[in-house]
Amino acid sequence: MTPLVAALLSAFAAAAEPAPATPTTPAQATAAEPETTVTADQIDGIVNDRLHAEGNVVVVRGDQTIESDWLDYYQAKGRALAGDRVKLSRPTDTVIGRDLDYAMDDSRGVLFDADLTRTDSKLRGKGERVDMTGKDTYNIFRGRFTTCDPGRDDWYINARDIDLDYTTNVGTARNGYFEFQGVPILWTPYLDFPLSNERKSGLLMPTFRYDSGNGIDFTLPYYWNIAPNMDATLTPRLIANRGLQLGGEFRYLQPDYSGSIAAEVLDDRKTGDVRDYLSIRHNQKLTPELNLAINYNHASDSNYFRDLGSGRFAVADNINLLQDVSLYWNPGWGSWTLRAQKYQTLQDPAAPVDPPYQRMPQLLFTTGTDANIGLGTPLSLKFDSEFVSFAHPTKQEGERFIAYPSVSLPLTNSWGFVTPKFGVHYTDYSLNSRTGTDQEQGNESRTLPIVSLDSGMYFERPLNLFGRDMVQTLEPRLYYVNIPYRDQSKLPVFDTTENTFDFAQIFTENRFTGGDRINDANQVTFGATTRFLDPDNGLERLRLGLAGRYSFIDQRVTLPGGTAPQKGLSDVLGTIGGDLNRRTSVEANYQWNNTLKEAERYSTGIRYSPDPDRVASLRYRYDRQVQVGSQVYENQRQIDLGVMWPIAPRWYGVARENYSLTDNTPLEHLAGVEYRAGCWAARFVVQHYVSSLNDTKTSYFFQLELAEFGRLGNNPLDALKLAIPGYTESNKNAILQ
């Protein structure tokens, strides 16, 4: 029989008697229901009862389509039996297999030896039987699933039973194992996983690491989605050389408060001690103007992060652990801060440092306003003040009060600005004494008028340079400050350090940070920057800067053991940099010590990145003196090389070498490879670094990332981003391909 394209069954709906709907017997079609159209090579049967079709069968009912070799359609029940090969297409999925039994009215049915793909997800499944248990819900028996594209079987989760519920976006697998490149890797009796980016409770991907001090290190976190605004993560961690560490983090978010509590505890069999860490962060809006902030961190011992941290940067970031409680009040006419603050200092015995002073308490008040006095530009009135009580276990203690009112007149225009300023800085000390110590007792005070004048101009001109149109700018700046001398040698040093002399500091009135020292000054700072801008794309092709300071007096205010700048020209700063093109940028900074007539410090670097997946940077730094704790090191030279580059199709190499040329000693080696394969990526990284002045440590990172599913192993991404300027996750682009 020739192909038949007719069998329009809309008459079924009109001729049938309606029947009550039940969960297992759907209501028969009505005039409002979609029509059912069948095309096939052959069609026969009884109208309103059973239709049989064979050969290139296509059934369309609303937004559902069945394609098969043969079909039995029972109109009264809305049931379709189809075979041998069947393709069921719906708006959110496609299921291909054999021998379909399907109720078209309620989207329920079963298909054998079936493949399932979703239109809204990369996840696809395959099983001996796929049960469609409702709209957007499935059960796969003796099956597997992956996020790899069809035709690729790089990895799978195999399981006896797999439930996929896209109404709740939760999937579960029972009695399953993870298979990678045909090799079973990890078995689990139960696994649940999200089918979207929404949070859900369940086990997270485990992490594996290895380092020279701890041996094998295994972590299996459990995530508990308590509520939309509250969750917790429980993190048992098995460290081969030390024992079982238990950790957890609880997070919460409310309209008026938020925060987190994290804790870890370990009975360390290597040291014989119980070691722990606690972190509490809380922010609360008490009233519309009053806010509370708590930041508390505590470790059981000074070696906690050196022994149990996850890399060089975990050690470097945790020397002084902040313990702070603050109240912030801003009623509109001023800003108040009340704080109690201390630190836990984690000491390196080979390079001890002085713990910072405790502020118990500290009270800050700042206010300001603009006053129109008929000059066209309003006066800017500002008042800064502070009261703080300093405590220390071994050093001079006392209280300090600071009041600094000032007035300035910012005159601005499109071509420049002039800002005169006058202020009076008042400081009062009440010093404590202790029996049996040489600490001083009594009151000290200091009053200093401060006068400054800041000015700058902006020039611009078109320029043709080497055959290219450019826009050149010239930005000169002059800054004058006058502060009389006051003997401050009897004042304590609670929280004051001398700033690094650089472009950020040179245009400020005080070379010290903190309130214990204010330099005497009668000086003018000069500087100029010129830029060459590409008018087509806005790139800063070249930037040149020069700055220095001329003092009309010999300054005398210093920190204990320090020196003060002398009359005449200060150190001179220079900078050069820019984007040579969209791929290459350079940067260099130089400080010339005008007193010693030699370089104080300089650095230079170049970065080349033709695309986001290729980056190479080379940096060199010289410091005439570097202080670590109480140790001073002379003529320190370092070179730093960071690279991420493709080495073969889908393979990337990552490396960093941070080397001290002065000591002929490596400070950090980092080397690794990444492989990206569309639906997965793998990383292996080795990092050898200085963990303390006399110790080094080696960490090994391995991570397997499964697209839209999770990461298995130890995460090296933080170490790579900090080690290689411009590093991006190379798998991101691949997974989107």
Side-chain angles (χ1 to χ4, degrees):
M1 182 178 181
T2 58
L4 176 64
V5 185
L8 181 62
L9 301 181
S10 58
F12 281 9
E17 291 292 329
T22 69
T24 57
T25 304
Q28 295 180 352
T30 68
E33 291 181 335
E35 296 179 342
T36 302
T37 303
V38 179
T39 61
D41 293 340
Q42 289 185 335
I43 297 178
D44 58 47
I46 301 174
V47 176
N48 298 333
D49 184 11
R50 172 181 173 274
L51 175 72
H52 179 75
E54 290 189 4
N56 299 311
V57 180
V58 178
V59 182
V60 179
R61 179 174 173 81
D63 54 11
Q64 302 178 87
T65 301
I66 299 174
E67 303 173 53
S68 62
D69 297 330
W70 60 265
L71 169 78
D72 286 329
Y73 182 71
Y74 298 88
Q75 184 272 335
K77 298 179 179 180
R79 179 185 179 190
L81 301 178
D84 294 318
R85 297 300 301 168
V86 182
K87 179 180 180 181
L88 171 63
S89 301
R90 301 186 295 184
T92 57
D93 61 28
T94 300
V95 192
I96 300 174
R98 65 172 181 84
D99 299 333
L100 172 70
D101 186 351
Y102 184 66
M104 300 190 75
D105 291 331
D106 59 3
S107 303
R108 294 175 180 267
V110 59
L111 188 62
F112 294 88
D113 293 335
D115 291 295
L116 166 68
T117 58
R118 294 275 302 184
T119 59
D120 56 357
S121 170
K122 288 181 67 70
L123 187 144
R124 60 185 179 89
K126 180 180 180 65
E128 291 184 8
R129 187 181 74 233
V130 173
D131 291 333
M132 292 153 280
T133 55
K135 187 176 181 180
D136 296 326
T137 60
Y138 314 86
N139 174 262
I140 303 175
F141 178 71
R142 295 189 187 278
R144 60 187 186 178
F145 66 88
T146 183
T147 59
C148 291
D149 293 333
R152 297 193 58 176
D153 297 337
D154 293 3
W155 68 268
Y156 276 100
I157 300 293
N158 293 272
R160 183 193 62 198
D161 286 295
I162 302 169
D163 290 319
L164 305 176
D165 189 342
Y166 282 90
T167 62
T168 61
N169 288 313
V170 175
T172 58
R174 297 172 181 84
N175 193 19
Y177 62 91
F178 172 61
E179 179 181 309
F180 180 70
Q181 296 291 358
V183 178
I185 293 180
L186 183 67
W187 175 85
T188 177
Y190 180 83
L191 174 68
D192 61 0
F193 48 91
L195 298 175
S196 69
N197 293 327
E198 296 180 3
R199 303 177 305 166
K200 66 168 297 295
S201 299
L203 291 172
L204 302 179
M205 283 290 190
T207 62
F208 305 89
R209 65 167 64 94
Y210 178 86
D211 67 47
S212 54
N214 295 333
I216 296 174
D217 192 333
F218 173 76
T219 303
L220 183 61
Y222 178 83
Y223 177 77
W224 182 16
N225 185 26
I226 303 170
N229 61 340
M230 191 180 303
D231 62 15
T233 304
L234 307 177
T235 311
R237 176 184 177 190
L238 183 61
I239 307 173
N241 295 345
R242 298 185 183 274
L244 178 64
Q245 181 189 71
L246 298 178
E249 182 184 25
F250 171 66
R251 302 186 302 177
Y252 52 92
L253 176 64
Q254 293 287 352
D256 292 333
Y257 62 88
S258 63
S260 65
I261 303 173
E264 300 171 349
V265 62
L266 167 69
D267 188 356
D268 192 342
R269 63 170 177 262
K270 188 173 182 178
T271 64
D273 300 321
V274 176
R275 311 177 72 181
D276 56 69
Y277 172 70
L278 175 64
S279 174
I280 300 174
R281 288 174 170 81
H282 180 83
N283 293 280
Q284 182 149 5
K285 187 177 182 180
L286 302 175
T287 71
E289 296 86 19
L290 184 63
N291 293 275
L292 169 70
I294 299 173
N295 189 348
Y296 178 85
N297 303 272
H298 182 270
S300 57
D301 57 90
S302 290
N303 291 321
Y304 189 88
F305 293 99
R306 280 190 288 271
D307 292 344
L308 304 175
S310 59
R312 174 183 177 186
F313 301 100
V315 177
D317 292 341
N318 292 284
I319 296 176
N320 290 307
L321 301 183
L322 179 63
Q323 300 171 353
D324 180 282
V325 179
S326 301
L327 278 171
Y328 303 95
W329 184 44
N330 190 344
W333 46 265
S335 176
W336 296 82
T337 301
L338 177 62
R339 172 182 294 134
Q341 183 185 79
K342 61 185 296 188
Y343 292 89
Q344 180 191 4
T345 301
L346 307 185
Q347 297 283 4
D348 180 356
V353 297
D354 287 332
Y357 271 91
Q358 303 173 18
R359 294 178 171 92
M360 305 293 284
Q362 180 186 33
L363 177 64
L364 300 168
F365 172 66
T366 299
T367 187
T369 188
D370 291 335
N372 195 337
I373 58 174
L375 296 178
T377 299
L379 285 173
S380 177
L381 306 176
K382 189 175 181 183
F383 179 79
D384 296 319
S385 63
E386 175 196 51
F387 171 81
V388 58
S389 178
F390 290 100
H392 198 280
T394 61
K395 292 184 176 182
Q396 172 77 60
E397 297 182 328
E399 299 170 350
R400 185 184 70 197
F401 172 73
I402 293 175
Y404 183 22
S406 64
V407 57
S408 62
L409 182 64
L411 304 170
T412 61
N413 203 298
S414 60
W415 47 263
F417 68 93
V418 176
T419 304
K421 178 183 175 183
F422 173 76
V424 177
H425 197 289
Y426 173 76
T427 314
D428 183 78
Y429 290 87
S430 177
L431 305 179
N432 304 331
S433 67
R434 293 181 178 178
T435 304
T437 70
D438 58 357
Q439 291 184 332
E440 298 182 5
Q441 181 181 16
N443 296 330
E444 298 286 345
S445 64
R446 175 189 62 197
T447 303
L448 285 169
I450 300 174
V451 178
S452 67
L453 178 66
D454 195 5
S455 62
M457 301 185 73
Y458 182 86
F459 301 95
E460 179 181 300
R461 66 166 182 169
L463 179 71
N464 188 279
L465 192 63
F466 304 114
R468 296 182 62 93
D469 289 331
M470 295 282 181
V471 174
Q472 183 188 7
T473 70
L474 179 62
E475 304 158 44
R477 184 177 178 184
L478 285 175
Y479 178 72
Y480 174 79
V481 61
N482 189 298
I483 306 173
Y485 170 74
R486 296 289 187 271
D487 183 7
Q488 302 172 42
S489 59
K490 293 183 179 181
L491 302 183
V493 179
F494 290 139
D495 61 356
T496 298
T497 58
E498 187 166 358
N499 294 320
T500 300
F501 188 77
D502 55 24
F503 278 92
Q505 183 274 333
I506 194 170
F507 291 97
T508 58
E509 61 193 32
N510 189 18
R511 74 175 192 273
F512 299 102
T513 296
D516 301 312
R517 294 292 186 273
I518 297 178
N519 56 230
D520 51 329
N522 182 10
Q523 62 195 30
V524 60
T525 301
F526 56 87
T529 300
T530 183
R531 309 172 197 271
F532 295 85
L533 308 176
D534 192 324
D536 295 331
N537 49 36
L539 285 178
E540 188 179 75
R541 294 296 186 182
L542 182 63
R543 180 189 67 258
L544 299 169
L546 188 69
R549 177 182 290 162
Y550 187 88
S551 178
F552 300 100
I553 60 171
D554 290 333
Q555 296 185 16
R556 292 182 281 174
V557 178
T558 67
L559 289 171
T563 59
Q566 300 302 297
K567 181 179 179 180
L569 184 64
S570 70
D571 290 0
V572 178
L573 302 174
T575 183
I576 182 173
D579 297 309
L580 302 183
N581 49 51
R582 290 191 178 273
R583 300 176 297 275
T584 308
S585 61
V586 296
E587 181 78 26
N589 296 284
Y590 192 91
Q591 179 179 343
W592 171 257
N593 189 315
N594 195 49
T595 302
L596 300 177
K597 305 302 181 183
E598 63 177 347
E600 180 67 24
R601 63 177 58 88
Y602 55 84
S603 64
T604 182
I606 183 171
R607 176 182 162 200
Y608 177 71
S609 181
D611 58 60
D613 294 333
R614 293 172 171 83
V615 60
S617 68
L618 179 63
R619 293 167 288 174
Y620 175 83
R621 181 180 178 88
Y622 166 82
D623 289 275
R624 189 179 64 84
Q625 286 186 340
V626 174
Q627 184 168 350
V628 180
S630 58
Q631 301 282 342
V632 177
Y633 299 90
E634 302 284 343
N635 298 321
Q636 294 298 300
R637 293 178 170 85
Q638 292 183 20
I639 190 168
D640 200 335
L641 173 66
V643 177
M644 179 186 71
W645 209 264
I647 53 179
R650 299 184 178 273
W651 286 93
Y652 282 74
V654 291
R656 183 199 188 185
E657 180 68 19
N658 186 202
Y659 192 85
S660 172
L661 299 173
T662 303
D663 304 319
N664 293 321
T665 301
L667 303 176
E668 180 184 2
H669 302 302
L670 184 146
V673 292
E674 296 185 358
Y675 182 81
R676 62 187 198 179
C679 62
W680 63 273
R683 304 179 183 92
F684 177 71
V685 176
V686 180
Q687 183 186 32
H688 181 80
Y689 58 95
V690 176
S691 58
S692 64
L693 191 62
N694 297 323
D695 295 319
T696 61
K697 194 174 182 180
T698 302
S699 295
Y700 300 87
F701 300 85
F702 176 76
Q703 184 183 65
L704 182 63
E705 181 169 341
L706 310 177
E708 298 189 17
F709 190 75
R711 290 170 174 167
L712 181 69
N714 186 24
N715 185 5
L717 293 175
D718 291 340
L720 291 172
K721 290 175 182 177
L722 290 169
I724 304 172
Y727 172 85
T728 57
E729 297 178 39
S730 62
N731 66 297
K732 280 187 175 180
N733 294 332
I735 287 177
L736 295 175
Q737 287 176 352

